């Protein structure tokens, strides 16, 4: 594994590009992109749309072919004017172009790439190959232009300040803002690097040549969330992590709020905490559940690779390192 690679902190007036890194942009979500532009401009950045981000443009279930998306992404990675990339949405395409990414361009000029869902696969792969901090954070359509717009004004302001600090501040963010939804599923404390994403993408990634080495999970805090499918699928994914040895290596776990998972409706059995603790067995690690990141609402940023401190009993999660630095790969 390479060492941690932090992008340079963004400055006022820096260019942020919104790009289709996976799924297409349905015409109905064009206003979400426009709202995202407004949010990013309020943070002090210039904003541009990448050419593939056009309403109605698609190839099958994707914004374009995997090769076309990779070509555009590589162009953004190589362009010195572009200082950050925000994914328009998730989707089902990242697996198709992992082998086409210009990893050398990332090492030469690391930039924040923001997104979750399918984009969490990119974060894991880029972190494994280059050490790049993965900005598991809101994307444009479901996040900045979606959930953010329906959140209470105070919550929107809190998120905007948090994201601006995430991208510009070379000091650690410290404690993430807590929510009443957070639950202690197993008490304890842990300190380690954050590794995770959508749980099905973690499992898929570990089946490719781009998998994170198992040693990288030693002492890590595994964070994951899931959308759709069945409760039994989540149980199965957790068992894949058990069989692979990952659950024996991690020091703690943070679980995001689930969304649209059949079998987890109120009153259903088993509950998500029961599923998690069933698979963990006697592994005595802290587990913090129902944390507000993932598909269920506005995302707290969970930077892949950064050291964090978890106290499940107190229901706190703190980032101990900055996500950005003073220069290329700076600490």
């Amino acid at each position: 594994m390479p060492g941690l690679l932090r992008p340079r902190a963004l400055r006022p007036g820096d260019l942020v590009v919104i790009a289709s890194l996976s799924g297409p942009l349905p015409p109905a979500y064009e206003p979400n992109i426009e709202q995202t532009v407004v949010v990013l401009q309020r943070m002090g950045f210039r904003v541009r749309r990448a050419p593939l981000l056009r309403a109605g443009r698609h190839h099958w279930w994707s914004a374009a072919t995997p090769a076309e998306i990779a070509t555009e992404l590589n162009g953004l990675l190589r362009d010195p004017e572009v200082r950050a990339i925000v994914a328009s949405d998730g989707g089902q395409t990242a697996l198709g172009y992992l082998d086409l990414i210009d990893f050398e361009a990332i090492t030469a000029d690391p930039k924040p790439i923001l997104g979750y869902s399918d984009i969490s696969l990119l974060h894991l792969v880029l972190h494994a190959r280059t050490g790049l901090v993965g900005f598991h954070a809101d994307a444009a359509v479901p996040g900045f232009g979606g959930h953010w717009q329906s959140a209470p004004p105070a919550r929107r302001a809190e998120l905007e300040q948090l994201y601006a600090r995430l991208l510009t501040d070379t000091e650690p963010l410290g404690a993430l803002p807590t929510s009443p939804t957070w639950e202690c599923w197993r008490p304890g404390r842990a300190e380690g690097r954050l590794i995770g994403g959508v749980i099905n993408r973690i499992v898929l990634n570990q089946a490719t040549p781009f998998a994170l080495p198992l040693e990288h999970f030693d002492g890590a805090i595994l964070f994951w969330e899931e959308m759709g499918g069945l409760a039994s699928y989540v149980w199965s994914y957790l068992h894949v992590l058990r069989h692979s040895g990952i659950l024996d290596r991690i020091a703690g776990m943070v679980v995001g709020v689930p969304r649209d998972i059949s079998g987890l409706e109120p009153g259903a059995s088993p509950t998500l905490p029961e599923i998690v603790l069933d698979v963990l067995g006697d592994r005595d690690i802290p587990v913090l559940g129902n944390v507000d990141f993932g598909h269920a609402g506005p995302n707290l940023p969970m930077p892949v690779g950064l050291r964090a401190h978890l106290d499940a009993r107190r229901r706190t999660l703190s980032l101990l390192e900055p996500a950005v630095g003073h220069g290329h790969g700076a600490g």
Side-chain angles (χ1 to χ4, degrees):
M1 280 291 300
L4 192 66
L5 185 62
R6 289 185 179 85
R8 173 180 66 75
L10 269 66
R11 301 161 182 157
D14 274 351
L15 178 63
V16 177
V17 174
I18 307 171
S20 294
L21 302 182
S22 188
L25 175 63
Y29 291 119
E30 174 64 30
N32 296 51
I33 298 297
E34 295 169 0
Q35 289 285 355
T36 299
V37 172
V38 172
V39 169
L40 294 172
Q41 287 177 338
R42 272 204 309 263
M43 292 184 196
F45 309 127
R46 291 182 294 127
V47 186
R48 190 173 77 202
R49 295 167 60 147
L52 292 179
L53 183 57
R54 294 206 311 268
R57 179 195 171 101
H58 69 93
H59 171 76
W60 297 352
W61 47 81
S62 306
T65 66
E68 289 171 325
I69 293 176
T71 296
E72 182 163 278
L73 173 60
N74 288 336
L76 297 174
L77 295 173
R78 296 167 186 152
D79 186 344
E81 186 185 11
V82 176
R83 299 318 316 156
I85 302 166
V86 174
S88 61
D89 208 340
Q92 300 289 338
T93 313
L95 273 169
Y97 64 84
L98 299 179
D99 53 339
L100 303 177
I101 297 172
D102 185 350
F103 296 110
E104 292 183 1
I106 292 169
T107 303
D109 185 12
K111 305 169 184 183
I113 300 174
L114 279 69
Y116 67 108
S117 196
D118 195 35
I119 311 307
S120 65
L121 183 66
L122 280 184
H123 298 322
L124 292 169
V125 169
L126 301 184
H127 184 65
R129 287 299 176 97
T130 69
L132 183 70
V133 173
F135 287 69
H136 188 281
D138 265 316
V141 167
F144 300 119
H147 292 302
W148 282 42
Q149 304 307 312
S150 56
R155 176 65 168 160
R156 276 204 310 274
E158 180 180 54
L159 287 167
E160 197 167 302
Q161 182 182 46
L162 184 67
Y163 273 67
R165 287 183 58 208
L166 177 77
L167 294 168
T168 65
D169 198 341
T170 56
E171 296 297 320
L173 286 185
L176 293 175
T178 60
S179 163
T181 65
W182 294 24
E183 298 173 347
C184 174
W185 292 354
R186 180 169 282 169
R189 290 179 293 181
E191 185 176 310
R193 66 174 67 88
L194 286 171
I195 301 292
V198 180
I199 192 169
N200 68 71
R201 291 305 193 264
I202 300 171
V203 167
L204 285 171
N205 182 58
Q206 292 305 110
T208 74
F210 302 96
L212 280 161
L214 280 181
E215 314 86 72
H216 204 61
F217 290 93
D218 288 341
I221 296 173
L222 178 71
F223 72 91
W224 61 269
E225 55 103 4
E226 181 65 313
M227 173 184 174
L230 307 176
S232 60
Y233 294 176
V234 175
W235 183 82
S236 298
Y237 296 142
L238 286 166
H239 274 292
V240 172
L241 300 182
R242 180 180 68 84
H243 288 305
S244 69
I246 288 174
L247 296 187
D248 292 323
R249 293 172 177 266
I250 61 174
M253 182 182 290
V254 181
V255 183
V257 179
R259 180 178 174 188
D260 299 337
I261 298 177
S262 181
L264 292 184
E265 299 82 9
S269 178
T271 64
L272 188 55
E274 288 173 330
I275 290 171
V276 171
L277 296 179
D278 176 72
V279 180
L280 279 178
D282 61 0
R283 295 170 180 83
D284 189 18
I285 62 171
V287 182
L288 184 63
N290 269 344
V291 177
D292 39 348
F293 67 90
H295 288 81
N299 269 266
L300 290 178
M302 302 289 284
V304 175
L306 290 196
R307 292 192 66 80
H309 182 269
L310 164 66
D311 189 327
R313 186 186 297 278
R314 293 178 178 268
R315 294 180 297 168
T316 61
L317 182 66
S318 302
L319 303 183
L320 304 179
E321 299 178 288
V324 292
H326 294 286
H328 171 264

